[in-house]
Amino acid sequence: MRLKIFAHIDMDAFFAAVEQRDNPRLRGQPVVVGADPQRGRGRGVVSTCSYEARSFGIHSAMPISTAYRLCPHAVFLPVDMKKYSQASDEIFKILYDFTPDIEAISVDEAFLDIAGSYHFYGTPLNICREIKKRIKDQVHLTASIGLAPVKMAAKIASDLSKPDGLLEIKEENLLEFLWPLDIAKLWGVGPKTKKALNILGIKTIGDLAQTSLKDLLRQFGEHGQHLHHLANGIDPRDVVTESEAKSISHEHTFDTDTSDQNKICEILMALSEKVSRRLRRHSMKGKTLTLKIRLKGFRTYTRALTLAERTNFSDTIYKKARELFYEFYKPEMKVRLVGVRISHFEDPYVQESLFEDEDLMRQEKVHSAVDRIKDKFGETAIVRGLSLSKTPTRCRDTS
Ligand code: TTP
Ligand code: MG
């Protein structure tokens, strides 16, 4: 069997670190990035904060008013996504210099399969040292990296090594590393599962590993079996690179459940653009469009259709997503979340009816021009008509 070595990389206090990098006066200061605190009356949440701000008890997703109360003298800054996306692109470029086997988890987080590429750098630890150094020298930010023979342990290791850390867990030390840790460290154990496990007397990963599989199956179903495997160091998951992904999707949760059709259509358009952009970045086109809708009370529905042609055009994706939405939607519905997914890919350069059709060729040119502008000026450089209109017309037009 092939030896597996995974690296999990996660930037430290990412948004706040970019702000501190760009403004030396913020270094060493508590910096909170997120909604406007409005002297403690602001609504909205903390996106992230510097480690200095964390020592006051501030953390991601906390109401901004609470953060203000905990540390009123902190520097509060709005989210500047364009700046963070640019830093993220630079970081991922560096990672791709080391291996093509990368699974991007978010703007600041990725798994790398380094089994095939570390030899050039001597050891797995050396390749990670080199990655950290390149990021520090070129992007002026710090990353933490965990190394392990299974993905979930690599993630835990990077988390425990923060900030600016590097921690390697070898196969022979895997269980010794995992078992004393709190159960909440395990990937897939959220607050609800933790509470349910605690009630059964299961506090550490070791406790879980030693609980009988039969009991866990009875209590938690298949999820129980999965957690039991993880606790015993068994995690067969591989790095899934973007081109191997079976689908590309984006979703959005509304701050408050909504039946505002214009608002929902605006989000569907933004999601269609995001999906289109990721597909185009990887020269992929998909044939199946799936719309996901979660209503108040967590009931979740999906509706799918097969497109006439494989596509990565945002307009086509949006138009069809909107059609699916209106086939499903009833005015009394309160929508909590919507998602857009494209699947069943094919490399567009294999199938080329595209350039035989003038209309498609025109659309391709428009999309390529938009891609170039966004590459140069950021994701928000071009905003679609619907999102800009002040008095939006009903968006179920017949175009
Ligand atoms: P994280 O990696 O979870 O957090 P972080 O990088 O700020 O800090 P850490 O050192 O603990 O990794 O998330 C990456 C970025 O994503 C973060 O800088 C801001 C954003 N984010 C939000 O906007 N909201 C959230 O609730 C979280 C968790 C993150
Ligand atoms: Mg991070």
Side-chain angles (χ1 to χ4, degrees):
M1 214 173 66
R2 181 178 78 93
L3 176 71
K4 293 195 174 180
I5 308 170
F6 297 102
H8 178 262
I9 175 161
D10 191 305
M11 303 303 296
D12 303 319
F14 186 48
F15 293 3
V18 173
E19 299 294 349
Q20 287 181 319
R21 175 195 71 177
D22 294 349
N23 182 353
R25 276 183 310 196
L26 300 179
R27 294 182 198 152
Q29 301 292 323
V31 173
V32 180
V33 180
D36 183 350
Q38 295 178 6
R39 297 190 155 272
R41 292 188 311 278
R43 294 170 55 123
V45 294
V46 172
S47 292
T48 194
C49 59
S50 64
Y51 279 73
E52 294 83 357
R54 292 181 198 197
S55 63
F56 291 87
I58 303 175
H59 58 77
S60 292
M62 167 183 274
I64 200 78
S65 51
T66 312
Y68 187 84
R69 192 170 43 71
L70 288 170
C71 186
H73 67 278
V75 180
F76 288 85
L77 296 171
V79 173
D80 184 348
M81 208 54 215
K82 188 179 155 196
K83 211 154 62 171
Y84 317 139
S85 299
Q86 204 174 339
S88 172
D89 286 351
E90 289 168 20
I91 293 159
F92 274 89
K93 249 186 215 136
I94 293 174
L95 299 182
Y96 278 107
D97 280 347
F98 289 88
T99 173
D101 300 322
I102 295 177
E103 179 177 347
I105 304 292
S106 76
V107 278
D108 88 322
E109 182 185 353
F111 281 103
L112 278 62
D113 178 344
I114 58 165
S117 50
Y118 76 83
H119 301 282
F120 188 69
Y121 296 87
T123 62
L125 213 47
N126 275 344
I127 197 174
C128 294
R129 285 197 188 110
E130 194 60 31
I131 290 171
K132 277 170 62 78
K133 184 172 178 322
R134 285 270 307 273
I135 292 175
K136 201 172 263 177
D137 291 349
Q138 291 177 15
V139 198
H140 310 291
L141 293 171
T142 61
S144 295
I145 306 186
L147 261 173
V150 286
K151 271 172 99 178
M152 59 94 181
K155 188 172 166 68
I156 298 174
S158 76
D159 185 37
L160 290 179
S161 77
K162 273 177 172 298
D164 199 10
L166 174 54
L167 179 59
E168 181 180 30
I169 309 302
K170 294 229 164 105
E171 177 89 57
E172 58 272 27
N173 302 327
L174 185 58
L175 296 182
E176 190 188 330
F177 165 71
L178 289 174
W179 284 8
L181 299 175
D182 188 290
I183 196 74
K185 286 266 175 260
L186 210 55
W187 208 5
V189 176
K192 274 192 190 156
T193 313
K194 176 179 160 80
K195 208 168 156 196
L197 288 168
N198 283 170
I199 288 170
L200 298 174
I202 301 168
K203 299 239 158 48
T204 65
I205 297 180
D207 293 340
L208 180 64
Q210 275 137 35
T211 307
S212 94
L213 181 56
K214 223 167 94 193
D215 289 351
L216 290 170
L217 269 169
R218 201 176 45 236
Q219 283 277 340
F220 302 98
E222 269 185 30
H223 189 49
Q225 179 171 27
H226 173 64
L227 293 179
H228 191 256
H229 278 152
L230 293 184
N232 282 291
I234 302 162
D235 180 7
R237 286 171 292 189
D238 260 319
V239 160
V240 182
T241 60
E242 192 100 53
S243 56
E244 290 165 352
K246 294 204 168 50
S247 67
I248 284 187
S249 63
H250 280 278
E251 44 188 59
H252 174 87
T253 306
F254 292 98
D255 290 339
T256 47
D257 302 346
T258 183
S259 27
D260 181 339
Q261 298 169 42
N262 282 310
K263 208 161 149 187
I264 296 168
C265 285
E266 263 187 33
I267 293 298
L268 287 179
M269 182 178 271
L271 295 173
S272 303
E273 282 181 352
K274 278 188 171 176
V275 168
S276 157
R277 186 123 170 79
R278 267 176 69 200
L279 288 167
R280 298 177 65 74
R281 213 174 257 164
H282 297 276
S283 302
M284 296 193 305
K285 292 184 166 195
K287 182 104 173 147
T288 304
L289 169 76
T290 308
L291 174 75
K292 176 171 167 185
I293 302 180
R294 178 167 299 148
L295 298 179
K296 193 178 172 193
F298 288 96
R299 276 165 301 143
T300 307
Y301 303 86
T302 54
R303 294 287 181 273
L305 59 75
T306 303
L307 298 158
E309 299 251 9
R310 286 173 204 280
T311 195
N312 57 21
F313 291 160
S314 56
D315 313 38
T316 312
I317 298 171
Y318 169 59
K319 199 169 154 206
K320 292 294 175 189
R322 196 181 56 185
E323 277 176 27
L324 283 176
F325 171 68
Y326 275 106
E327 275 167 25
F328 174 82
Y329 182 73
K330 293 193 183 67
E332 67 273 17
M333 288 177 176
K334 288 249 180 218
V335 177
R336 169 159 298 179
L337 169 151
V338 284
V340 172
R341 179 169 76 224
I342 289 285
S343 53
H344 293 101
F345 299 139
E346 179 183 299
D347 186 334
Y349 302 110
V350 176
Q351 157 255 0
E352 281 311 340
S353 68
L354 180 63
F355 293 103
E356 289 158 20
D357 182 322
E358 265 185 34
D359 188 42
L360 284 177
M361 197 151 100
R362 187 185 54 73
Q363 282 198 56
E364 177 62 39
K365 279 186 181 156
V366 172
H367 277 82
S368 300
V370 172
D371 288 348
R372 280 198 300 277
I373 292 170
K374 288 191 167 182
D375 281 344
K376 201 159 172 196
F377 300 108
E379 287 296 326
T380 50
I382 293 185
V383 182
R384 310 289 301 185
L386 184 65
S387 353
L388 279 180
S389 61
K390 279 204 180 104
T391 47
T393 43
R394 200 168 134 65
C395 55
R396 193 181 192 184
D397 56 39
T398 49
S399 62

PDB file of all heavy atoms in Angstrom, residues 291-306:
ATOM      1  N   LEU A 291     -30.229  22.707  -7.410  1.00  0.00           N
ATOM      2  CA  LEU A 291     -30.560  23.823  -6.525  1.00  0.00           C
ATOM      3  C   LEU A 291     -30.881  23.236  -5.154  1.00  0.00           C
ATOM      4  O   LEU A 291     -31.622  22.253  -5.056  1.00  0.00           O
ATOM      5  CB  LEU A 291     -31.787  24.569  -7.070  1.00  0.00           C
ATOM      6  CG  LEU A 291     -32.321  25.675  -6.177  1.00  0.00           C
ATOM      7  CD1 LEU A 291     -31.411  26.902  -6.235  1.00  0.00           C
ATOM      8  CD2 LEU A 291     -33.732  26.070  -6.611  1.00  0.00           C
ATOM      9  N   LYS A 292     -30.298  23.827  -4.128  1.00  0.00           N
ATOM     10  CA  LYS A 292     -30.594  23.355  -2.766  1.00  0.00           C
ATOM     11  C   LYS A 292     -31.357  24.466  -2.045  1.00  0.00           C
ATOM     12  O   LYS A 292     -30.977  25.641  -2.146  1.00  0.00           O
ATOM     13  CB  LYS A 292     -29.269  23.077  -2.061  1.00  0.00           C
ATOM     14  CG  LYS A 292     -29.377  22.671  -0.611  1.00  0.00           C
ATOM     15  CD  LYS A 292     -27.987  22.226  -0.157  1.00  0.00           C
ATOM     16  CE  LYS A 292     -27.875  22.093   1.330  1.00  0.00           C
ATOM     17  NZ  LYS A 292     -26.504  21.783   1.742  1.00  0.00           N
ATOM     18  N   ILE A 293     -32.402  24.106  -1.370  1.00  0.00           N
ATOM     19  CA  ILE A 293     -33.163  25.098  -0.598  1.00  0.00           C
ATOM     20  C   ILE A 293     -33.430  24.542   0.791  1.00  0.00           C
ATOM     21  O   ILE A 293     -33.940  23.419   0.923  1.00  0.00           O
ATOM     22  CB  ILE A 293     -34.528  25.400  -1.258  1.00  0.00           C
ATOM     23  CG1 ILE A 293     -34.314  25.906  -2.692  1.00  0.00           C
ATOM     24  CG2 ILE A 293     -35.306  26.443  -0.446  1.00  0.00           C
ATOM     25  CD1 ILE A 293     -35.603  26.219  -3.413  1.00  0.00           C
ATOM     26  N   ARG A 294     -33.059  25.311   1.786  1.00  0.00           N
ATOM     27  CA  ARG A 294     -33.421  24.913   3.158  1.00  0.00           C
ATOM     28  C   ARG A 294     -34.440  25.925   3.656  1.00  0.00           C
ATOM     29  O   ARG A 294     -34.243  27.134   3.561  1.00  0.00           O
ATOM     30  CB  ARG A 294     -32.186  24.910   4.056  1.00  0.00           C
ATOM     31  CG  ARG A 294     -32.522  24.552   5.498  1.00  0.00           C
ATOM     32  CD  ARG A 294     -31.273  24.253   6.296  1.00  0.00           C
ATOM     33  NE  ARG A 294     -30.562  23.123   5.740  1.00  0.00           N
ATOM     34  CZ  ARG A 294     -29.244  22.975   5.774  1.00  0.00           C
ATOM     35  NH1 ARG A 294     -28.483  23.890   6.339  1.00  0.00           N
ATOM     36  NH2 ARG A 294     -28.670  21.917   5.240  1.00  0.00           N
ATOM     37  N   LEU A 295     -35.540  25.396   4.172  1.00  0.00           N
ATOM     38  CA  LEU A 295     -36.591  26.276   4.669  1.00  0.00           C
ATOM     39  C   LEU A 295     -36.467  26.414   6.182  1.00  0.00           C
ATOM     40  O   LEU A 295     -35.711  25.671   6.829  1.00  0.00           O
ATOM     41  CB  LEU A 295     -37.964  25.700   4.316  1.00  0.00           C
ATOM     42  CG  LEU A 295     -38.242  25.557   2.816  1.00  0.00           C
ATOM     43  CD1 LEU A 295     -39.624  24.956   2.597  1.00  0.00           C
ATOM     44  CD2 LEU A 295     -38.145  26.901   2.099  1.00  0.00           C
ATOM     45  N   LYS A 296     -37.211  27.351   6.714  1.00  0.00           N
ATOM     46  CA  LYS A 296     -37.270  27.534   8.160  1.00  0.00           C
ATOM     47  C   LYS A 296     -37.527  26.176   8.807  1.00  0.00           C
ATOM     48  O   LYS A 296     -38.359  25.418   8.305  1.00  0.00           O
ATOM     49  CB  LYS A 296     -38.435  28.482   8.447  1.00  0.00           C
ATOM     50  CG  LYS A 296     -38.477  29.023   9.815  1.00  0.00           C
ATOM     51  CD  LYS A 296     -39.627  29.967   9.949  1.00  0.00           C
ATOM     52  CE  LYS A 296     -39.752  30.339  11.397  1.00  0.00           C
ATOM     53  NZ  LYS A 296     -40.970  30.991  11.692  1.00  0.00           N
ATOM     54  N   GLY A 297     -36.823  25.851   9.855  1.00  0.00           N
ATOM     55  CA  GLY A 297     -37.026  24.564  10.509  1.00  0.00           C
ATOM     56  C   GLY A 297     -36.112  23.481   9.969  1.00  0.00           C
ATOM     57  O   GLY A 297     -36.290  22.308  10.272  1.00  0.00           O
ATOM     58  N   PHE A 298     -35.139  23.862   9.126  1.00  0.00           N
ATOM     59  CA  PHE A 298     -34.082  22.962   8.646  1.00  0.00           C
ATOM     60  C   PHE A 298     -34.514  21.908   7.638  1.00  0.00           C
ATOM     61  O   PHE A 298     -33.750  21.024   7.314  1.00  0.00           O
ATOM     62  CB  PHE A 298     -33.325  22.294   9.811  1.00  0.00           C
ATOM     63  CG  PHE A 298     -32.445  23.260  10.535  1.00  0.00           C
ATOM     64  CD1 PHE A 298     -32.898  23.884  11.672  1.00  0.00           C
ATOM     65  CD2 PHE A 298     -31.193  23.577  10.050  1.00  0.00           C
ATOM     66  CE1 PHE A 298     -32.102  24.809  12.339  1.00  0.00           C
ATOM     67  CE2 PHE A 298     -30.396  24.492  10.701  1.00  0.00           C
ATOM     68  CZ  PHE A 298     -30.844  25.112  11.859  1.00  0.00           C
ATOM     69  N   ARG A 299     -35.790  21.956   7.152  1.00  0.00           N
ATOM     70  CA  ARG A 299     -36.135  21.007   6.092  1.00  0.00           C
ATOM     71  C   ARG A 299     -35.371  21.406   4.839  1.00  0.00           C
ATOM     72  O   ARG A 299     -35.393  22.574   4.444  1.00  0.00           O
ATOM     73  CB  ARG A 299     -37.641  21.021   5.814  1.00  0.00           C
ATOM     74  CG  ARG A 299     -38.422  20.126   6.771  1.00  0.00           C
ATOM     75  CD  ARG A 299     -39.883  20.437   6.715  1.00  0.00           C
ATOM     76  NE  ARG A 299     -40.117  21.831   7.071  1.00  0.00           N
ATOM     77  CZ  ARG A 299     -41.046  22.604   6.511  1.00  0.00           C
ATOM     78  NH1 ARG A 299     -41.821  22.137   5.554  1.00  0.00           N
ATOM     79  NH2 ARG A 299     -41.211  23.855   6.900  1.00  0.00           N
ATOM     80  N   THR A 300     -34.670  20.436   4.236  1.00  0.00           N
ATOM     81  CA  THR A 300     -33.820  20.752   3.088  1.00  0.00           C
ATOM     82  C   THR A 300     -34.304  19.998   1.856  1.00  0.00           C
ATOM     83  O   THR A 300     -34.630  18.810   1.931  1.00  0.00           O
ATOM     84  CB  THR A 300     -32.363  20.361   3.399  1.00  0.00           C
ATOM     85  OG1 THR A 300     -32.001  20.980   4.631  1.00  0.00           O
ATOM     86  CG2 THR A 300     -31.414  20.837   2.311  1.00  0.00           C
ATOM     87  N   TYR A 301     -34.367  20.704   0.731  1.00  0.00           N
ATOM     88  CA  TYR A 301     -34.850  20.111  -0.520  1.00  0.00           C
ATOM     89  C   TYR A 301     -33.806  20.340  -1.607  1.00  0.00           C
ATOM     90  O   TYR A 301     -33.084  21.350  -1.590  1.00  0.00           O
ATOM     91  CB  TYR A 301     -36.158  20.787  -0.960  1.00  0.00           C
ATOM     92  CG  TYR A 301     -37.240  20.706   0.076  1.00  0.00           C
ATOM     93  CD1 TYR A 301     -37.314  21.665   1.089  1.00  0.00           C
ATOM     94  CD2 TYR A 301     -38.166  19.657   0.065  1.00  0.00           C
ATOM     95  CE1 TYR A 301     -38.290  21.596   2.062  1.00  0.00           C
ATOM     96  CE2 TYR A 301     -39.153  19.579   1.036  1.00  0.00           C
ATOM     97  CZ  TYR A 301     -39.210  20.550   2.039  1.00  0.00           C
ATOM     98  OH  TYR A 301     -40.171  20.472   3.004  1.00  0.00           O
ATOM     99  N   THR A 302     -33.733  19.413  -2.554  1.00  0.00           N
ATOM    100  CA  THR A 302     -32.895  19.670  -3.731  1.00  0.00           C
ATOM    101  C   THR A 302     -33.731  19.439  -4.981  1.00  0.00           C
ATOM    102  O   THR A 302     -34.624  18.580  -4.995  1.00  0.00           O
ATOM    103  CB  THR A 302     -31.650  18.754  -3.792  1.00  0.00           C
ATOM    104  OG1 THR A 302     -32.078  17.408  -3.698  1.00  0.00           O
ATOM    105  CG2 THR A 302     -30.663  19.059  -2.698  1.00  0.00           C
ATOM    106  N   ARG A 303     -33.462  20.222  -5.988  1.00  0.00           N
ATOM    107  CA  ARG A 303     -34.101  20.074  -7.299  1.00  0.00           C
ATOM    108  C   ARG A 303     -32.992  20.112  -8.336  1.00  0.00           C
ATOM    109  O   ARG A 303     -32.131  21.002  -8.285  1.00  0.00           O
ATOM    110  CB  ARG A 303     -35.081  21.227  -7.577  1.00  0.00           C
ATOM    111  CG  ARG A 303     -36.288  21.239  -6.634  1.00  0.00           C
ATOM    112  CD  ARG A 303     -37.257  20.105  -6.999  1.00  0.00           C
ATOM    113  NE  ARG A 303     -38.427  20.104  -6.149  1.00  0.00           N
ATOM    114  CZ  ARG A 303     -38.535  19.494  -4.971  1.00  0.00           C
ATOM    115  NH1 ARG A 303     -37.507  18.826  -4.491  1.00  0.00           N
ATOM    116  NH2 ARG A 303     -39.655  19.536  -4.280  1.00  0.00           N
ATOM    117  N   ALA A 304     -33.015  19.165  -9.281  1.00  0.00           N
ATOM    118  CA  ALA A 304     -31.924  19.110 -10.262  1.00  0.00           C
ATOM    119  C   ALA A 304     -32.468  19.069 -11.683  1.00  0.00           C
ATOM    120  O   ALA A 304     -33.614  18.650 -11.903  1.00  0.00           O
ATOM    121  CB  ALA A 304     -31.067  17.884  -9.992  1.00  0.00           C
ATOM    122  N   LEU A 305     -31.663  19.517 -12.620  1.00  0.00           N
ATOM    123  CA  LEU A 305     -32.026  19.357 -14.031  1.00  0.00           C
ATOM    124  C   LEU A 305     -30.761  19.123 -14.854  1.00  0.00           C
ATOM    125  O   LEU A 305     -29.660  19.464 -14.433  1.00  0.00           O
ATOM    126  CB  LEU A 305     -32.804  20.573 -14.547  1.00  0.00           C
ATOM    127  CG  LEU A 305     -32.195  21.961 -14.511  1.00  0.00           C
ATOM    128  CD1 LEU A 305     -31.149  22.168 -15.586  1.00  0.00           C
ATOM    129  CD2 LEU A 305     -33.313  22.981 -14.725  1.00  0.00           C
ATOM    130  N   THR A 306     -30.968  18.506 -16.008  1.00  0.00           N
ATOM    131  CA  THR A 306     -29.854  18.281 -16.923  1.00  0.00           C
ATOM    132  C   THR A 306     -29.869  19.392 -17.960  1.00  0.00           C
ATOM    133  O   THR A 306     -30.914  19.679 -18.554  1.00  0.00           O
ATOM    134  CB  THR A 306     -30.005  16.911 -17.617  1.00  0.00           C
ATOM    135  OG1 THR A 306     -30.081  15.938 -16.584  1.00  0.00           O
ATOM    136  CG2 THR A 306     -28.827  16.608 -18.508  1.00  0.00           C
TER     137      THR A 306
END
